[in-house]
């Protein structure tokens, strides 16, 4: 069934499934940066959200971004906002891989900024940003879309924006796993949103169809991935150490010359531990005006577990006490092989014009994998396309993450009670407690050495990981899945019992109690989307009806009215 069947969509509902709103941010001599237009006009943004959008939609003045620049940012939503369409979108969210599930506490802003000389304006420059605000982390999709519409918008203004938004309001919902066709101003974008069932590391290809009509179509190879190789090129020799730092949720700052480079690098870092979800906060572009600036830069406590992308030289002073700093020059694709770069000492990082590199005193737990470095260097010498280099790098990170997580998956699966412990007449059994010592003991025989040739202190890496927000987030979602599985098995066990026969041997009070419990079970299965076959639910409903029909009439009336 397609999720939009039987859903009466109101105007702007389809638009809201993809975007919260579109903003235009301009520069006013009196006010500075200001939101000039919000579309659709009924979209709600709090003053704090507007202020954040204003400052995050323009590069810092020192970035000197002339011409057109694209980047993205992420900011906290103001609490207490009602969400329409919620259950419909949650249904779609369930089918996504964990790292693409939306985080309702944050919005993304996707920016197309234009700065060109214009003598007719007082400042001598035209400066404007077109910004898409969305809860979806589909960086590549929105970047492609802005490339299509922003240049034309700067020429044509408001009416054009209205037409763009009404196009988006005709899009199908963002259903994972289906090939979607999204028309936008005469072009059709074809794409497929991944599902949690996809094998990690595979991307089903969306074919470009030859269309008979006048519409041009473009197939997007991905909705969310960035060009990994280009982003990691400046810190090429440290990819494995950076993977460890991201995995462990260590505080990281990326200092870059422009928001385009800072945002791409932060997104590349967050994605390098996929299919694990990075569970801490990350800001692809962060400014001194950000509402969390004080909270994140205070020296009164240790730096928080976040990844910040910054471009303002002021941060070189403010964040001097941070333990890991990545300094990136202009991202150019290497014509020659990058030179071997040592990790630099933090005390050498005085200013933003310090040399590019990684500044940290962190000692990696794992030995360096020289193989991947050689493979990528060879690619540079042979002028291998950057897309191919990114595929190699993404596969390398995936294999590393999977080698690390498989032993944990295996141990956590062993915490599940045996199926024979599930009795229809008792509450479902509890999961056994996670014991760090028991887990560590499993590593000797069933550790990462089964899938990875890398040597090093894996035990130390696990110990550190078990204290991190990423472990906490991963374990909670596993716990939730397994508890739901137990509830589902319990439901199936109930279905396989002869409940009518049971009720005939018990008192009316006990039978009524059973009916109410079973009705609750059905409601829970629906509310929590338990992994139960529709047949099982139908069977249970039949059991309930049969039990009720065997009761006296007055009780039947009451029970048929309750809990429907």
């Amino acid at each position: 069934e397609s999720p939009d069947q039987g859903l009466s969509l109101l105007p702007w509902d389809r638009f809201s499934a993809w975007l919260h709103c579109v903003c235009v941010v301009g520069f006013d001599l009196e006010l500075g940066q200001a939101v000039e237009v919000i579309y659709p006009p009924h979209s709600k943004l709090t003053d704090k959200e507007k202020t954040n959008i204003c400052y995050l939609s323009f590069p810092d003045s020192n970035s000197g971004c002339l011409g057109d620049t694209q980047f993205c940012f992420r900011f906290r939503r103001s609490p207490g906002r009602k969400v329409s369409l919620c259950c419909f979108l949650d249904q779609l969210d369930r089918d996504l891989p964990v790292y693409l599930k939306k985080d309702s506490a944050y919005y993304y802003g996707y920016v197309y900024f234009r700065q060109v000389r214009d003598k007719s304006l007082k400042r001598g420059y035209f400066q404007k940003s077109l910004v898409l605000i969305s809860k979806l982390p589909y960086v590549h999709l929105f970047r492609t879309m802005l490339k299509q519409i922003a240049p034309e918008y700067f020429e044509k203004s408001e009416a054009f924006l209205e037409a763009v938004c009404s196009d988006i309001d005709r899009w199908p919902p963002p259903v994972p796993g289906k090939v979607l066709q999204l028309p936008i101003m005469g072009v059709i974008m074809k794409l497929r949103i991944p599902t949690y069932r996809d094998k990690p590391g595979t991307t089903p290809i969306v074919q470009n169809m030859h269309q008979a009509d006048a519409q041009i179509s473009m197939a997007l190879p991905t909705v969310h991935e960035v060009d990994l190789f280009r982003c990691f090129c400046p810190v090429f020799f440290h990819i494995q150490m950076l993977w460890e730092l991201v995995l462990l949720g260590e505080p990281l700052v990326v200092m870059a010359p422009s928001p385009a480079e800072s945002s791409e690098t932060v997104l590349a870092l967050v994605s390098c531990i996929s299919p694990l979800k990075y569970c801490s906060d990350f800001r692809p572009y962060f400014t001194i005006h950000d509402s969390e600036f004080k909270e994140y830069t205070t020296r009164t406590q240790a730096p928080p577990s976040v990844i910040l992308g910054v471009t303002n030289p002021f941060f070189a002073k403010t964040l001097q006490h941070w333990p890991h700093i990545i300094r990136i020059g202009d991202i150019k694709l290497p014509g020659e092989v990058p030179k071997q770069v040592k990790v630099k000492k933090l005390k050498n990082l005085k200013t933003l014009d310090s040399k590019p590199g990684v500044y940290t005193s962190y000692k990696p737990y794992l030995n360096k994998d020289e193989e991947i470095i050689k493979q990528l260097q060879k690619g540079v010498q042979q002028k291998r396309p950057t897309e191919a280099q990114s595929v190699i790098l993404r596969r390398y990170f995936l294999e590393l993450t999977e080698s690390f997580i498989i032993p944990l998956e295996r141990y956590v699966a062993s915490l599940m009670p045996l199926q024979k412990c599930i009795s229809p007449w008792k509450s479902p059994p509890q999961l056994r407690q996670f014991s760090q010592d028991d887990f560590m003991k499993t590593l000797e025989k069933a550790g990462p050495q089964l899938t990875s040739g890398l040597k090093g202190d894996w035990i130390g890496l696990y110990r550190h990981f078990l204290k991190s927000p990423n472990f906490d987030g991963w374990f909670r979602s596993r716990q939730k899945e397994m508890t739901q599985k137990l509830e589902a098995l319990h439901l199936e066990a109930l279905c396989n019992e002869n409940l009518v026969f049971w009720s005939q041997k018990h008192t009316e009070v006990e039978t009524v109690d059973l009916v109410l419990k079973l009705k609750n079970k059905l409601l829970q299965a629906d509310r929590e989307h338990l992994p139960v076959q529709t047949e099982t639910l139908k069977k249970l409903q039949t059991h309930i009806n049969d039990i009720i029909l065997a009761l006296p009439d007055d009780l039947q009336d009451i029970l048929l009215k309750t809990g429907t």
Side-chain angles (χ1 to χ4, degrees):
E1 280 178 64
S2 94
D4 52 336
Q5 275 176 359
L7 185 80
S8 54
L9 288 167
L10 299 166
W12 297 114
D13 272 357
R14 287 173 184 275
F15 177 92
S16 305
W18 292 91
L19 291 177
H20 177 66
C21 64
V22 180
C23 298
V24 178
V25 179
F27 194 89
D28 182 289
L29 274 178
E30 319 282 294
L31 306 167
Q33 278 130 259
V35 175
E36 295 175 351
V37 180
I38 297 180
Y39 210 88
H42 62 262
S43 307
K44 299 219 173 6
L45 288 171
T46 64
D47 289 344
K48 190 176 174 183
E49 286 168 344
K50 280 186 197 156
T51 307
N52 272 331
I53 290 169
C54 279
Y55 285 115
L56 290 165
S57 298
F58 270 43
D60 277 316
S61 50
N62 59 293
S63 293
C65 299
L66 259 182
D68 293 0
T69 308
Q70 277 190 268
F71 58 94
C72 96
F73 59 83
R74 185 173 179 262
F75 65 104
R76 264 186 213 167
R77 288 179 66 205
S78 300
R81 175 93 51 64
K82 281 277 267 279
V83 188
S84 64
L85 259 184
C86 195
C87 47
F88 165 55
L89 293 180
D90 284 350
Q91 192 183 337
L92 301 181
D93 213 46
R94 278 205 320 279
D95 290 336
L96 289 167
V98 281
Y99 54 88
L100 284 185
K101 286 184 191 295
K102 57 182 188 306
D103 183 336
S104 53
Y106 291 90
Y107 278 133
Y108 283 84
Y110 299 99
V111 183
Y112 193 106
F113 169 72
R114 174 169 286 186
Q115 173 165 277
V116 286
R117 293 183 199 282
D118 185 338
K119 295 261 169 47
S120 66
L121 296 171
K122 228 177 190 170
R123 295 186 72 194
Y125 283 101
F126 168 89
Q127 288 174 313
K128 228 186 229 347
S129 278
L130 183 61
V131 189
L132 308 177
I133 303 293
S134 175
K135 283 202 219 63
L136 306 176
Y138 302 156
V139 194
H140 187 72
L141 162 65
F142 292 121
R143 190 190 164 81
T144 309
M145 183 173 148
L146 277 168
K147 237 187 213 140
Q148 283 297 318
I149 60 172
E152 212 168 329
Y153 164 72
F154 291 128
E155 307 298 317
K156 294 185 177 166
S157 78
E158 304 322 296
F160 179 75
L161 200 55
E162 211 167 308
V164 165
C165 292
S166 70
D167 262 358
I168 299 170
D169 198 37
R170 287 199 283 276
W171 286 5
V175 181
K178 276 173 74 169
V179 173
L180 303 174
Q181 304 203 13
L182 312 180
I184 188 93
M185 304 317 285
V187 173
I188 291 183
M189 297 187 292
K190 291 212 167 117
L191 53 98
R192 179 185 178 278
I193 298 167
T195 82
Y196 72 90
R197 295 179 202 87
D198 295 354
K199 186 168 176 279
T202 57
T203 318
I205 301 296
V206 178
Q207 294 300 330
N208 224 338
M209 309 291 284
H210 291 295
Q211 259 152 329
D213 56 18
Q215 299 241 303
I216 309 158
S217 90
M218 51 198 296
L220 272 57
T222 168
V223 285
H224 65 285
E225 288 168 354
V226 289
D227 186 342
L228 264 197
F229 180 65
R230 225 190 76 215
C231 298
F232 279 119
C233 222
V235 285
F236 191 78
F237 289 96
H238 311 301
I239 49 177
Q240 196 177 318
M241 176 173 76
L242 294 173
W243 172 84
E244 281 189 27
L245 292 173
V246 175
L247 180 77
L248 300 172
E250 285 286 307
L252 264 172
V253 191
V254 174
M255 295 186 173
S258 80
E261 274 123 10
S262 87
S263 63
E264 289 239 310
T265 308
V266 169
L267 292 169
L269 285 165
V270 167
S271 75
C272 80
I273 60 168
S274 163
L276 266 184
K277 181 185 171 73
Y278 177 78
C279 295
S280 300
D281 190 8
F282 59 95
R283 303 300 175 92
Y285 174 49
F286 189 74
T287 73
I288 54 176
H289 304 287
D290 201 285
S291 47
E292 276 77 58
F293 175 74
K294 276 200 178 69
E295 176 190 333
Y296 283 171
T297 56
T298 173
R299 281 171 184 259
T300 54
Q301 61 218 51
S305 167
V306 293
I307 302 180
L308 298 181
V310 302
T311 61
N312 192 321
F314 180 71
F315 280 109
K317 286 195 189 70
T318 324
L319 300 177
Q320 245 171 1
H321 61 299
W322 276 48
H324 322 289
I325 294 173
I326 301 170
R327 172 82 189 88
I328 279 182
D330 290 315
I331 294 188
K332 293 195 229 2
L333 269 178
E336 71 286 346
V337 182
K339 301 280 179 285
Q340 172 61 287
V341 193
K342 284 206 171 69
V343 174
K344 299 176 169 62
K345 301 223 167 21
L346 276 161
K347 61 175 191 296
N348 300 346
L349 185 80
K350 292 288 180 286
T351 59
L352 251 189
D353 25 280
S354 306
K355 290 212 160 53
V358 179
Y359 292 77
T360 179
S361 53
Y362 176 82
K363 294 273 174 290
Y365 287 96
L366 304 181
N367 302 349
K368 199 168 200 167
D369 187 339
E370 300 294 346
E371 213 32 61
I372 180 73
I373 303 285
K374 282 189 200 140
Q375 204 182 349
L376 291 171
Q377 279 178 320
K378 194 173 162 196
V380 173
Q381 284 157 345
Q382 296 173 343
K383 309 230 176 329
R384 190 186 289 146
T386 160
E387 295 81 21
Q389 294 276 71
S390 284
V391 168
I392 292 169
L393 190 51
R394 189 167 280 112
R395 190 167 53 233
Y396 161 75
F397 281 136
L398 174 70
E399 285 168 7
L400 194 52
T401 306
E402 287 190 327
S403 291
F404 179 78
I405 212 74
I406 286 168
L408 271 163
E409 294 272 11
R410 200 180 285 127
Y411 170 71
V412 168
S414 76
L415 302 177
M416 185 88 165
L418 295 170
Q419 194 149 352
K420 65 180 182 199
C421 306
I422 297 169
S423 152
W425 308 113
K426 289 189 190 134
S427 294
Q430 298 288 303
L431 294 173
R432 290 208 308 285
Q433 288 291 308
F434 185 102
S435 148
Q436 182 167 331
D437 293 342
D438 289 353
F439 166 63
M440 291 299 178
K441 282 180 199 145
T442 66
L443 293 175
E444 199 180 329
K445 287 202 175 68
Q449 70 277 12
L450 296 181
T451 49
S452 170
L454 267 187
K455 300 281 183 275
D457 181 9
W458 285 95
I459 302 272
L461 186 60
Y462 280 114
R463 282 222 159 86
H464 194 152
F465 177 70
L466 295 181
K467 297 193 205 83
S468 75
N470 288 333
F471 168 71
D472 190 53
W474 172 83
F475 184 58
R476 272 175 209 239
S477 85
R478 280 290 170 274
Q479 244 177 337
K480 187 180 168 192
E481 274 171 35
M482 287 159 70
T483 309
Q484 288 190 336
K485 180 76 183 143
L486 283 171
E487 290 286 356
L489 289 169
H490 187 240
L491 246 172
E492 280 166 24
L494 273 167
C495 265
N496 296 332
E497 288 293 309
N498 185 340
L499 297 177
V500 179
F501 180 68
W502 181 92
S503 66
Q504 286 161 356
K505 294 168 68 176
H506 288 75
T507 64
E508 278 179 9
V509 173
E510 287 170 316
T511 304
V512 168
D513 188 46
L514 175 69
V515 168
L516 295 177
K517 277 189 176 141
L518 292 175
K519 286 193 169 197
N520 267 336
K521 277 274 181 200
L522 281 178
L523 287 171
Q524 180 196 8
D526 184 51
R527 188 178 59 245
E528 295 175 17
H529 310 293
L530 296 183
V532 186
Q533 300 290 328
T534 322
E535 286 312 306
T536 309
L537 297 176
K538 282 185 184 155
K539 199 168 162 188
L540 196 59
Q541 188 61 62
T542 311
H543 279 326
I544 295 173
N545 296 343
D546 291 346
I547 297 169
I548 294 176
L549 290 173
L551 287 167
D553 292 357
D554 54 342
L555 271 179
Q556 283 189 34
D557 287 349
I558 295 167
L559 287 173
L560 289 168
K561 281 181 191 141
T562 55
T564 45

